[in-house]
Amino acid sequence: MPETRDELPEVLTLVGQGWALAPDAPVWSFLPAVFPRTHRTWVRDRSTWYWEEWVDGVHRGRSVASDEDVADVYRLNADHAGRCGFPAWDSTRIWLLRTGNGLTVERVVDRVARAANRRLGGVVASPELGQVAADVVARALGPAAARG
C-alpha cells in the first residue's frame, strides 16, 4: 500500500534526526513560515492521502482519497496560509520543524493556540494569528530564532 507522509522513508530519517512533521491542520499550514530557516526543512510530497473510517471509536480501515478531495485539502491549506499573511501553501512539500531546545513542536503549537485564545479570542486564520505565531515561536526558540 502506498505510504502516508509519516511513513515515507525520508520523513522517518529526518524524524530520527530530531525533526517533527509540521501540523497538518489547515489553520497551521503557515507555521513553517514563522520558524527560522535553520529550524525548518522539507521533502517532496510523494505521499498518498487516505480517509480513515471510524465507527463508534473503532477503526474500520482506510481508503485512498480521491484526487478531488486532495485538491480540496490543498486549496484549504493555501487559503488558511494566505489569510495568515503568508505565501500560498506549497502542496509539493512536506514540512518538518525542529525547536532545538527540548520543546516539542506540539508544545510550541499549544503555546501559539493559548496565546491566540488570549489575544484574539480564538484560533482563526488571520494576519493577527500569523503575527501571534511569529511572536510565540521567536520567544520559544530564543536566540536560535534570531540566528535563523
Side-chain angles (χ1 to χ4, degrees):
M1 184 171 270
E3 298 155 321
T4 62
R5 68 187 203 133
D6 57 337
E7 297 169 336
L8 293 172
E10 57 270 39
V11 169
L12 292 172
T13 297
L14 287 165
V15 167
Q17 295 170 359
W19 294 89
L21 283 165
D24 59 1
V27 74
W28 301 122
S29 61
F30 71 92
L31 200 60
V34 301
F35 269 69
R37 290 176 200 246
T38 55
H39 288 69
R40 66 180 186 231
T41 193
W42 60 272
V43 298
R44 187 176 61 83
D45 188 353
R46 54 183 193 81
S47 66
T48 300
W49 289 62
Y50 293 92
W51 293 120
E52 300 285 338
E53 182 182 359
W54 295 82
V55 177
D56 296 327
V58 177
H59 187 252
R60 299 290 184 186
R62 68 182 187 181
S63 58
V64 175
S66 70
D67 291 343
E68 295 81 17
D69 286 341
V70 173
D72 284 344
V73 172
Y74 288 163
R75 278 191 292 280
L76 184 60
N77 284 329
D79 177 63
H80 280 267
R83 287 190 208 187
C84 290
F86 296 94
W89 184 77
D90 185 346
S91 64
T92 67
R93 296 179 178 187
I94 296 173
W95 285 97
L96 294 101
L97 307 170
R98 66 177 175 189
T99 61
N101 62 0
L103 266 181
T104 64
V105 170
E106 292 81 15
R107 292 277 311 232
V108 172
V109 172
D110 287 345
R111 288 182 180 188
V112 173
R114 283 196 310 274
N117 284 328
R118 278 192 316 275
R119 294 187 207 171
L120 309 174
V123 176
V124 177
S126 65
E128 294 80 12
L129 177 61
Q131 186 58 56
V132 166
D135 293 346
V136 169
V137 168
R139 276 194 312 277
L141 299 184
R147 290 192 306 268

